[in-house]
Amino acid sequence: MRQIPVDTSGAVVMVAKSPQIKVRDRRTGEIATDAETGAKLMTVDVMFAANEVVEILSITVPEPGITGELAMGTPVALTGLIARPWENDFNGQKRHGIAFRAVAVTSLDSAAAGPKAA
């Protein structure tokens, strides 16, 4: 499957919704895991602003790649962000879209850096 690297250097990225566990199968409640590492997968919705366009993207990231407090409005860095086009048939209807995945989502909030020296 084709993977397209996404350049985030000129973007402003902020958390729109705190990390949530990614469910693989809603009927059984099965949790999605990384095929290579077995790590639990999470989704983080972010506001991605670039070139005067703002979008909400849902990013899949392995749980160990989530660093810092990721509350709504927290500025973040997206490490290794890729886009993957997808297409499937569901009940006879074709569906398609773009899935986003990152190696890590890291808080850029100075408060997340730890206590300050007095």
Side-chain angles (χ1 to χ4, degrees):
M1 181 179 294
R2 183 173 180 166
Q3 297 182 10
I4 305 163
V6 179
D7 179 13
T8 61
S9 62
V12 173
V13 185
M14 296 171 60
V15 175
K17 184 176 178 184
S18 298
Q20 305 291 313
I21 295 171
K22 184 170 183 163
V23 178
R24 179 183 174 108
D25 186 332
R26 290 185 186 131
R27 290 175 290 138
T28 65
E30 179 185 0
I31 304 300
T33 57
D34 183 276
E36 293 178 15
T37 67
K40 185 179 350 178
L41 293 176
M42 308 290 285
T43 58
V44 181
D45 289 354
V46 299
M47 178 198 74
F48 191 93
N51 304 319
E52 298 186 25
V53 176
V54 178
E55 296 185 61
I56 302 295
L57 304 179
S58 187
I59 312 291
T60 299
V61 61
E63 188 176 37
I66 295 177
T67 307
E69 181 65 32
L70 299 183
M72 185 186 302
T74 304
V76 292
L78 302 174
T79 303
L81 182 63
I82 59 165
R84 286 186 192 161
W86 60 268
E87 183 176 308
N88 65 23
D89 285 314
F90 185 73
N91 289 336
Q93 294 203 332
K94 283 201 180 270
R95 298 176 56 195
H96 63 280
I98 299 173
F100 294 92
R101 176 134 180 191
V103 173
V105 177
T106 307
S107 172
L108 298 178
D109 193 347
S110 59
K116 297 186 188 243

